[in-house]
Amino acid sequence: MDYQAFAQQTTQEILGYYQDTSGWKVIKTSVRKVKYVSRKKITVSSKASKKFHGNLYRVEGVIPESTSRLSDFLYRPENRVTWDKSLKVYNMVQKIDSETFICHTITQSFAMGSISPRDFIDLVHLKCCEGNMDIISSASVDFPTYPPSSNYIRGYNHACGCVCSPLQENPAHSKLVMFVQTEMRGRLAPSIIEATMPSHLVSFILNAKDGIKTHKIPSRCGCHHNGHSSFLKK
């Protein structure tokens, strides 16, 4: 499989979702008070996925961190399980190039145990775009070294990802837009996923906000806008 070509294709799909403003239905809004003022809003929208019989979710929030630092934080695999409470394993299993790797993920159960842990094999890619915008894309791939096991149901991520860009009114902060279309597989009623996924996605944004405060990302060099670190080149 040409992993680099597939990564580029997935990135273009995420960019297409980001630019698509039609047909989204807001299904959850979460507001966090800051100094007694309700202004930190997270919005979850959805529409029918064209990839499978399920939903494509769009989650939007603001992270009080620069775009370059935020995208590095979200992309790096080494600290992911320390802040992303939805995961219990997130391991890079093969480096493709300095901006692309394959990871093995095992999720925690959620929805009060209604959805048991899943595992995924995903191709993850970081692309720096014009306008100081970064796209982190991921999608499931076949990887013979990690075949499905009897311990977990193997889920499948159709094109997913995050778009990080400077907040227009405050470039020191970032707008984070995330897209998720996960096929959980197994014998799950669609109604369970639809009822629980919005809160699950809001929790991811909140975990990222808290996590980036703890794991300060060092200054970077190498990408065309102030540079991304090249930790995968080591």
Side-chain angles (χ1 to χ4, degrees):
M1 181 179 186
D2 189 338
Y3 290 122
Q4 290 171 320
F6 185 63
Q8 292 294 334
Q9 176 187 325
T10 304
T11 297
Q12 287 303 310
E13 289 185 65
I14 297 304
L15 181 59
Y17 297 154
Y18 180 73
Q19 294 171 338
D20 179 13
T21 58
S22 64
W24 296 101
K25 179 182 178 182
V26 176
I27 55 176
K28 186 176 181 64
T29 300
S30 175
V31 178
R32 192 184 239 189
K33 290 187 176 181
V34 179
K35 294 182 180 179
Y36 309 105
V37 179
S38 299
R39 60 180 180 181
K40 296 293 184 180
K41 184 168 72 171
I42 302 170
T43 302
V44 182
S45 307
S46 71
K47 63 164 60 179
S49 171
K50 295 181 180 179
K51 299 282 190 175
F52 75 114
H53 294 296
N55 288 328
L56 167 62
Y57 293 93
R58 178 184 182 119
V59 193
E60 300 184 50
V62 173
I63 306 293
E65 189 58 86
S66 70
T67 296
S68 60
R69 289 179 183 271
L70 173 61
S71 56
D72 250 15
F73 171 75
L74 295 174
Y75 179 66
R76 288 171 177 262
E78 62 263 35
N79 294 319
R80 183 66 177 264
V81 296
T82 65
W83 63 266
D84 188 345
K85 297 177 183 178
S86 69
L87 303 179
K88 57 182 176 180
V89 172
Y90 188 90
N91 290 329
M92 181 176 70
V93 296
Q94 183 170 317
K95 167 190 163 183
I96 306 302
D97 58 38
S98 61
E99 311 293 349
T100 314
F101 64 90
I102 294 173
C103 72
H104 178 229
T105 304
I106 301 175
T107 66
Q108 305 279 6
S109 63
F110 67 100
M112 299 181 67
S114 299
I115 300 178
S116 62
R118 261 62 174 169
D119 83 327
F120 298 85
I121 296 291
D122 293 331
L123 180 68
V124 181
H125 177 68
L126 169 65
K127 181 175 178 61
C128 308
C129 305
E130 292 182 4
N132 202 25
M133 182 175 76
D134 294 338
I135 300 175
I136 303 166
S137 64
S138 66
S140 290
V141 293
D142 292 326
F143 191 62
T145 307
Y146 278 78
S149 76
S150 58
N151 296 325
Y152 301 101
I153 296 171
R154 174 64 55 87
Y156 191 92
N157 282 318
H158 299 276
C160 299
C162 296
V163 180
C164 308
S165 60
L167 191 64
Q168 187 173 6
E169 58 268 32
N170 184 0
H173 291 185
S174 299
K175 180 180 180 181
L176 173 60
V177 183
M178 181 171 68
F179 299 93
V180 175
Q181 48 184 343
T182 298
E183 195 169 346
M184 292 291 186
R185 297 182 171 172
R187 299 180 179 179
L188 273 178
S191 59
I192 294 178
I193 298 173
E194 292 171 6
T196 58
M197 187 61 78
S199 295
H200 185 68
L201 296 174
V202 168
S203 293
F204 175 87
I205 301 292
L206 295 176
N207 289 339
K209 283 183 177 181
D210 292 338
I212 201 168
K213 296 175 185 176
T214 305
H215 299 93
K216 282 298 181 182
I217 305 301
S219 299
R220 306 177 302 178
C221 57
C223 194
H224 68 248
H225 50 254
N226 297 326
H228 281 276
S229 60
S230 300
F231 74 100
L232 287 178
K233 295 180 180 178
K234 297 178 181 178

